[in-house]
Amino acid sequence: MFPKAKSLLAAGLTLVALSSAQALAVTPSPQMIEQFKQLPKSEQAKLAKQYGVDLSSLTGGSSANAQVTNPTLVGERKSEKACVEKDSYSAKRQSNEEGLVFCDDTKTKSKFVLNEDGELVVDESEVTDAQQTENAEKAKKLKLFGIELFAGEPSTFAPVSDVPVPSEYMVGPGDTINIQLYGKDSNDYQLTVQRDGAIQFPELGPISLVGLSFAEVKQLLKSKISHSMIGVESNISMGELRSIRIFIAGEAYKPGSYTVSSLSTLTQALYISGGLSDIGSLRNIQLKRKGKLIGTLDLYDLLLKGDTSHDLRLQSGDVVFIPAAKAHVSIDGEVRRPAIYELKGKETLSDVINMASGIKATGYPQAIALERFNDKHLKTVLSLSLKSASDKNEIIKDGDTIQVKSSSERIDNSIDVVGAVVRPGQYQWKKGIKVADIFQSIWGDLDVTADLDYSLVLRQANAHGDIKVKQFSIGKAINTPTSVNNLTLQPRDQIIIFKYAERGEQLAPVVSKLRKQTRLGEASQLVEVNGNVRFPGVYPIGDKNRVTDLLSAAGGLEEGSYTLSAELTRQNVNPEVGVSLEHKAINIGKALKNDNANNVKLQSRDILTIRTLPDWQETRWVTVQGEVRFPGTYSIQRGETMVDVLERAGGLTHDAFTFGAIFLRDSVKAKEKEQVRKLADELRREIAAKALTKDGGTISFEQAQLMLNQLENIEVIGRLSIDLSGIITGVKDADIQLEANDELYIPSKNQTVSVMGQVQYPSTHRYVPNDTFDQYLEMAGGPRKRADENRSYILRANGSVIFPNETWFSNGTQMMAGDTIIVPLDTEYKDTLTVWQQVTSVIYNSAVAVASIARINN
């Protein structure tokens, strides 16, 4: 028997190998598998290896020690536009897998590579911006509902045999009955139902099972065993189930012949075949048996209701026919499951919305747009509402597009709270609610920076979105709930609690809104306050705002305000005459006491000007350092002079060097900064001009940059030359009125003369009376080669500059104690930059003054 069985099985295994290579729905018959099982294990392994067949798929795992596994029947569908990067694949796997397309072999839009876990992923480096845009647009497109549930790629046609067998299962030829006997005798049998519907029981003979269900077979066998075999109990179960051949036709993804389990139903057949094509109908799947229509399956019953009552069980030779879908409707917008749905009959608008799982909470059921092609094949739009019974019953046609619009995001019954509050946001409006109902505690509800005297309520005035303003004091509203400041609120009010020092930023959008909403030329509800208030500017006004309200909006009065008389400027508009200005004096003191004559009601475009007290000034300070009896900082008033301050400082000491006094002033310092800036600009222009000339290459860029850096880093001090000796002796013309932040440095007596600049040895020498300019220049070694001796000058201790008078008829310029000789650089060595002499003068003069001040401070 073995040789003959081996030859038959070899032919069958060859067919299996060829069919698996060609992806045909062919499997060996149950008789061939039974004969294969009766071969020795060595022969089974040899044949399976020879023909490349999986041994476990043929044996069915019937061994007691074999582990039951499900073959992968359906895999993910492969994209026709996808490929695998060959280098990445080969580096991680040794052999090619069935169905993979390498990017070197085809032109595709997307490339796939293997990640570290061996999974195929899109190679993002190969995706261009255009492809990303295209992918994003595809993702936004609606998909056909339900088509993805059965979408797959058939990978094997082995029937699943390890599923539970229901009791009503009809036993037929090819099924295997497992019988376990225990008790007096123990034995195991695997009996196959023959073609005549009977099984051959060794001890009992043939037993017919024709037309019996599995439950009836168990009862029949248990009864026969108990009556015929005394002392023996039995356990009966189903073994291998018979396979049946079915045909899947029509709009299937992979139509053809399939071998499936005898337990298979319509939905399982669809799954095993990879699902439907893009045009297949999900609502009219037909089961035909011997040319007759047995039943139809509407997959929407399964997908939307979970109803499997029409999921009929298949029999051998059945045909599953999938016709093309006849009608579709698209629904998008504010529905829970936007998609493309198949129409079966006369579905209404309500039916389609139910298919999409209903409208979201954000959807607006009264604004549904239905796009439809008319008889002229032109697209038209119908506006429908689910509140209307006729609209709900509107019959949907093929090609219709339903768009469910969203509801407004505006909150109807709310109060918006913004600004310096602990809990900003939306609050529920209730009839009669007031400000104090929202803010019950200053410390618990308001920020520490909140302005307690000035707050606003913005209220919608009309359907255009215009606003009107109501001013109140949040502090008074909380502390005194019975006051007029505790405003009654309306729906959609906005409460603004201002930060005291940042009201300008918070007011800007309000002011802008009030200006823009004057469409018909009417005056905007804005007034202005300037002068001696904390926050001058433009402020909105309400219907009842008065002068004191505007002062609260401006943060109150500054110190030194003249409360007896302020000026209110008002524009009187007459369409016939024009605009005239009216100026009215307001007593702020009386207005603050709520005098109606002065605390007048404001009108649009009023301007309130708060004056400052006559001769009012902020405290001014001057500094006196050095050789005075009481050095320090002194406050001054307008018109006070140097003599006055020196007297308050106790006068000069005996060591005071009045000729070398240094007087600094902010206004002079600002002028010096401007002079340095102009010199730097002029130096840049001259450097640039020299660079463009043919002889302009004698100075390098580094040298030019060094000059500019030196000039820009000069520390100007703002020195003003004064005659302190004349001031002390009472010369009125020498005295000077002081300004705020003036500084006077009086050094001690200085018995030195300094020589700086382009000399051999810059140094300081002891002052010798009657010694001349040339003598001190010689003490410093004389001028250098690059010195411009003709432009040398003397910087006196009082800040004045003189040039030495060297003639044939003079004995030379006499030097004074504290003098400094400056020998500048010859400008020809700086490429004839004439500005450089001014630059060096500024540098030297500033350096001498800074050094003198440093000595005094030390």
Side-chain angles (χ1 to χ4, degrees):
M1 172 195 172
F2 284 161
K4 183 178 180 180
K6 289 175 62 177
S7 62
L8 291 174
L9 288 172
L13 293 174
T14 303
L15 183 60
V16 171
L18 291 175
S19 64
S20 62
Q22 298 175 1
L24 298 175
V26 178
T27 58
S29 66
Q31 290 76 12
M32 296 174 65
I33 296 177
E34 283 298 323
Q35 292 180 3
F36 182 81
K37 291 180 179 178
Q38 294 175 8
L39 294 175
K41 296 293 184 181
S42 59
E43 293 293 336
Q44 291 181 7
K46 182 178 179 180
L47 283 174
K49 181 177 181 182
Q50 179 179 355
Y51 293 100
V53 178
D54 186 6
L55 184 61
S56 61
S57 65
L58 294 177
T59 59
S62 58
S63 174
N65 297 327
Q67 183 178 2
V68 177
T69 58
N70 280 334
T72 303
L73 301 180
V74 181
E76 186 177 357
R77 288 186 183 179
K78 298 180 178 64
S79 173
E80 296 179 357
K81 297 180 180 179
C83 62
V84 180
E85 192 67 40
K86 182 176 291 185
D87 294 339
S88 173
Y89 184 85
S90 301
K92 295 185 174 66
R93 297 189 181 178
Q94 299 297 327
S95 61
N96 187 12
E97 290 185 4
E98 181 182 355
L100 292 183
V101 180
F102 290 117
C103 298
D104 298 340
D105 304 329
T106 181
K107 294 183 178 179
T108 57
K109 289 187 176 181
S110 301
K111 290 186 177 181
F112 287 79
V113 295
L114 288 173
N115 62 11
E116 295 180 355
D117 298 329
E119 299 173 346
L120 288 175
V121 295
V122 177
D123 186 3
E124 298 291 345
S125 62
E126 298 291 337
V127 180
T128 63
D129 293 340
Q131 291 174 1
Q132 290 179 353
T133 303
E134 181 182 355
N135 294 337
E137 292 177 354
K138 288 181 179 180
K140 293 180 181 178
K141 291 183 179 179
L142 294 178
K143 296 181 180 180
L144 190 63
F145 171 71
I147 197 69
E148 293 182 351
L149 177 64
F150 299 97
E153 185 78 29
S155 60
T156 180
F157 301 109
V160 178
S161 58
D162 63 341
V163 294
V165 178
S167 59
E168 67 271 13
Y169 173 73
M170 301 302 296
V171 177
D175 286 340
T176 301
I177 308 296
N178 294 333
I179 302 175
Q180 181 184 16
L181 301 179
Y182 58 93
K184 180 180 177 182
D185 296 323
S186 297
N187 210 342
D188 289 332
Y189 298 102
Q190 294 181 357
L191 306 179
T192 303
V193 181
Q194 305 299 320
R195 290 186 177 182
D196 58 357
I199 58 173
Q200 297 295 330
F201 201 108
E203 284 81 0
L204 302 179
I207 301 175
S208 177
L209 305 180
V210 176
L212 298 181
S213 66
F214 176 56
E216 293 171 338
V217 169
K218 288 178 64 176
Q219 184 178 2
L220 174 63
L221 293 178
K222 281 181 176 290
S223 176
K224 286 184 175 292
I225 292 172
S226 62
H227 285 84
S228 302
M229 305 176 70
I230 306 300
V232 176
E233 299 292 332
S234 62
N235 180 37
I236 301 171
S237 63
M238 288 296 299
E240 294 286 340
L241 299 179
R242 69 182 184 274
S243 298
I244 61 175
R245 181 71 57 82
I246 64 168
F247 295 90
I248 299 179
E251 298 301 329
Y253 177 68
K254 286 289 182 69
S257 175
Y258 288 85
T259 299
V260 297
S261 167
S262 55
L263 292 176
S264 299
T265 62
L266 280 173
T267 55
Q268 293 168 350
L270 292 176
Y271 178 76
I272 292 172
S273 65
L276 288 70
S277 68
D278 293 338
I279 63 173
S281 173
L282 279 78
R283 308 199 64 183
N284 188 27
I285 299 172
Q286 302 172 7
L287 174 60
K288 295 185 177 182
R289 185 173 298 157
K290 297 180 181 180
K292 295 182 180 180
L293 181 64
I294 302 301
T296 59
L297 173 64
D298 185 351
L299 283 177
Y300 279 23
D301 291 338
L302 171 63
L303 298 177
L304 299 178
K305 304 175 185 177
D307 182 7
T308 60
S309 59
H310 294 87
D311 189 13
L312 302 178
R313 184 160 295 162
L314 302 176
Q315 295 184 12
S316 181
D318 282 354
V319 176
V320 179
F321 179 73
I322 305 172
K326 295 182 178 180
H328 289 97
V329 60
S330 300
I331 182 168
D332 199 1
E334 297 301 314
V335 292
R336 290 187 174 89
R337 187 173 52 233
I340 301 173
Y341 293 89
E342 182 181 348
L343 298 176
K344 186 177 182 181
K346 294 184 178 181
E347 284 89 350
T348 64
L349 174 65
S350 178
D351 295 332
V352 175
I353 290 179
N354 289 334
M355 291 180 189
S357 294
I359 297 177
K360 294 180 181 178
T362 56
Y364 189 57
Q366 296 173 256
I368 299 176
L370 174 63
E371 297 181 3
R372 173 177 293 170
F373 289 97
N374 59 16
D375 297 338
K376 298 180 180 180
H377 302 283
L378 298 176
K379 185 171 285 189
T380 59
V381 177
L382 300 178
S383 295
L384 305 177
S385 170
L386 290 182
K387 300 293 183 181
S388 169
S390 60
D391 289 351
K392 289 175 64 176
N393 295 323
E394 175 72 22
I395 301 299
I396 304 302
K397 299 179 180 180
D398 182 29
D400 284 355
T401 299
I402 301 172
Q403 182 75 28
V404 180
K405 301 185 182 299
S406 62
S407 301
S408 173
E409 294 185 358
R410 295 182 178 180
I411 302 177
D412 184 54
N413 64 332
S414 70
I415 299 170
D416 189 20
V417 176
V418 298
V421 296
V422 176
R423 291 171 289 275
Q426 303 286 341
Y427 288 81
Q428 181 185 359
W429 175 83
K430 298 178 181 178
K431 187 175 181 180
I433 189 172
K434 295 188 176 184
V435 172
D437 297 327
I438 297 177
F439 304 100
Q440 301 178 2
S441 168
I442 293 178
W443 289 102
D445 295 328
L446 303 182
D447 193 81
V448 292
T449 60
D451 187 347
L452 301 180
D453 297 322
Y454 180 58
S455 304
L456 293 179
V457 169
L458 305 185
R459 180 164 294 169
Q460 185 174 333
N462 50 42
H464 293 288
D466 295 342
I467 60 172
K468 56 183 180 181
V469 177
K470 291 190 174 294
Q471 179 179 333
F472 69 100
S473 167
I474 184 63
K476 294 179 180 178
I478 295 175
N479 293 329
T480 310
T482 58
S483 68
V484 295
N485 290 278
N486 191 16
L487 300 176
T488 301
L489 301 174
Q490 295 184 7
R492 298 184 295 279
D493 279 354
Q494 184 183 55
I495 303 175
I496 303 178
I497 307 299
F498 292 97
K499 292 183 179 181
Y500 185 78
E502 300 178 9
R503 65 187 66 209
E505 297 178 4
Q506 294 175 275
L507 271 174
V510 179
V511 173
S512 176
K513 175 67 176 177
L514 290 172
R515 283 175 173 164
K516 291 179 180 179
Q517 69 184 31
T518 57
R519 303 179 183 86
L520 302 178
E522 64 271 19
S524 57
Q525 298 301 306
L526 298 170
V527 294
E528 184 177 353
V529 59
N530 55 43
N532 203 36
V533 292
R534 294 189 181 277
F535 304 106
V538 177
Y539 291 89
I541 59 170
D543 300 334
K544 301 178 181 180
N545 282 76
R546 296 180 177 273
V547 170
T548 52
D549 297 323
L550 182 56
L551 292 177
S552 297
L557 302 175
E558 284 277 18
E559 185 181 7
S561 297
Y562 186 56
T563 59
L564 295 179
S565 178
E567 184 179 76
L568 180 66
T569 302
R570 176 165 293 173
Q571 296 184 5
N572 297 316
V573 180
N574 190 323
E576 298 178 356
V577 179
V579 180
S580 62
L581 293 180
E582 175 187 355
H583 302 288
K584 182 178 181 180
I586 301 293
N587 188 314
I588 298 299
K590 293 182 179 180
L592 293 174
K593 295 179 181 179
N594 207 19
D595 178 39
N596 291 331
N598 290 277
N599 191 22
V600 297
K601 185 177 179 181
L602 297 176
Q603 297 181 10
S604 176
R605 302 181 66 84
D606 280 355
I607 301 175
L608 180 63
T609 302
I610 305 299
R611 299 186 176 99
T612 306
L613 285 171
D615 298 328
W616 173 264
Q617 64 180 20
E618 297 292 338
T619 303
R620 302 180 179 183
W621 302 91
V622 295
T623 301
V624 180
Q625 296 289 345
E627 297 299 324
V628 292
R629 294 185 181 276
F630 306 107
T633 302
Y634 293 87
S635 61
I636 61 171
Q637 61 181 356
R638 185 179 299 173
E640 198 163 354
T641 64
M642 181 76 73
V643 171
D644 300 328
V645 173
L646 288 176
E647 289 179 356
R648 293 164 59 190
L652 305 180
T653 65
H654 295 292
D655 294 331
F657 182 37
T658 57
F659 187 71
I662 300 174
F663 182 68
L664 307 182
R665 175 162 286 178
D666 286 347
S667 58
V668 178
K669 184 176 182 179
K671 291 179 181 178
E672 288 181 353
K673 286 184 177 180
E674 181 65 18
Q675 180 188 10
V676 171
R677 187 190 64 80
K678 290 181 178 179
L679 280 175
D681 292 342
E682 189 174 350
L683 183 59
R684 287 191 184 93
R685 288 193 296 269
E686 192 167 350
I687 292 173
K690 292 292 183 181
L692 296 176
T693 60
K694 62 181 181 179
D695 57 346
T698 58
I699 181 172
S700 65
F701 173 78
E702 290 76 10
Q703 290 175 316
Q705 193 65 37
L706 179 61
M707 292 186 224
L708 288 173
N709 291 339
Q710 285 181 318
L711 183 59
E712 291 172 349
N713 293 328
I714 290 176
E715 182 182 358
V716 295
I717 59 175
R719 181 175 184 179
L720 177 64
S721 296
I722 60 173
D723 183 8
L724 186 58
S725 299
I727 293 173
I728 294 173
T729 56
V731 179
K732 292 185 178 181
D733 293 339
D735 202 359
I736 183 174
Q737 285 191 359
L738 298 177
E739 297 179 1
N741 301 320
D742 282 350
E743 299 178 41
L744 177 63
Y745 296 89
I746 304 174
S748 58
K749 292 179 180 179
N750 187 0
Q751 298 297 320
T752 61
V753 174
S754 300
V755 183
M756 301 176 62
Q758 296 299 314
V759 293
Q760 298 296 336
Y761 184 68
S763 54
T764 300
H765 305 275
R766 184 177 62 86
Y767 168 69
V768 178
N770 299 325
D771 278 3
T772 63
F773 172 84
D774 290 336
Q775 290 175 320
Y776 281 102
L777 193 59
E778 288 297 329
M779 292 180 190
R784 293 180 181 176
K785 183 177 180 180
R786 296 187 178 186
D788 190 350
E789 191 174 356
N790 295 328
R791 293 180 180 176
S792 300
Y793 60 92
I794 301 172
L795 180 61
R796 296 291 190 190
N798 66 348
S800 61
V801 176
I802 64 170
F803 288 92
N805 185 16
E806 302 294 332
T807 64
W808 291 98
F809 306 101
S810 66
N811 294 326
T813 303
Q814 299 292 324
M815 301 298 293
M816 299 176 61
D819 285 352
T820 301
I821 298 174
I822 306 296
V823 181
L825 177 69
D826 190 349
T827 56
E828 292 183 359
Y829 285 98
K830 288 294 181 183
D831 196 24
T832 65
L833 296 174
T834 57
V835 178
W836 185 244
Q837 193 210 3
Q838 302 178 47
V839 173
T840 54
S841 298
V842 173
I843 293 174
Y844 286 133
N845 294 354
S846 298
V848 171
V850 170
S852 300
I853 295 173
R855 285 196 300 268
I856 296 172
N857 289 333
N858 291 334

